[in-house]
């Protein structure tokens, strides 16, 4: 998506990659409702498949958010490229630590 959008729309590659990360995100509203419907019908319940799919969709969304944050930081950031690239993952770590602290 990043390369195609860069070629078609003449945008910088990091902006095209951020578009790809936006499109890669999975809607939890669709996944959760669909998996609950399968759970109610009994499909995959013995192996826990609906729960695994919901968890995998959540992890996919986290990866998409981190990738989007890194690409936007590289596209719009000032200063060091390495520092801008590390801001996205650093935000995830800080959010994780805050969530753990608030949840205990």
């Amino acid at each position: 998506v990043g390369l195609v959008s860069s070629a078609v729309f003449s945008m910088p590659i990091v902006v095209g990659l951020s578009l790809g990360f936006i499109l890669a995100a999975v809607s939890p509203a669709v996944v959760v409702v669909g998996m609950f419907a399968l759970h109610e019908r009994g499909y995959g319940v013995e192996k826990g498949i609906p729960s695994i799919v919901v968890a995998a969709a959540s992890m996919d969304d986290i990866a998409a958010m981190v990738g989007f944050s890194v690409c936007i930081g590289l596209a719009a950031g000032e200063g060091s490229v390495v520092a801008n690239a590390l801001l996205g993952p650093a935000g995830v770590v800080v959010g994780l630590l805050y969530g753990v602290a608030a949840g205990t």
Side-chain angles (χ1 to χ4, degrees), residues 12-79:
I13 188 71
V14 291
V15 177
L17 289 173
S18 66
L19 175 64
F21 281 115
I22 290 171
L23 294 175
V26 177
S27 174
V30 174
V31 173
V32 171
V33 172
M35 289 301 109
F36 280 153
L38 290 177
H39 187 271
E40 288 175 359
R41 293 181 188 154
Y43 293 123
V45 174
E46 291 179 11
K47 295 182 180 180
I49 293 174
S51 300
I52 292 171
V53 171
V54 170
S58 300
M59 294 304 294
D60 181 55
D61 286 343
I62 292 170
M65 285 186 274
V66 170
F68 176 78
S69 297
V70 169
C71 288
I72 290 298
L74 291 174
E78 297 177 3

Side-chain angles (χ1 to χ4, degrees), residues 69-97:
S69 297
V70 169
C71 288
I72 290 298
L74 291 174
E78 297 177 3
S80 170
V81 173
V82 174
N84 288 331
L86 292 177
L87 283 177
V92 171
V93 170
V94 169
L96 180 68
L97 292 175

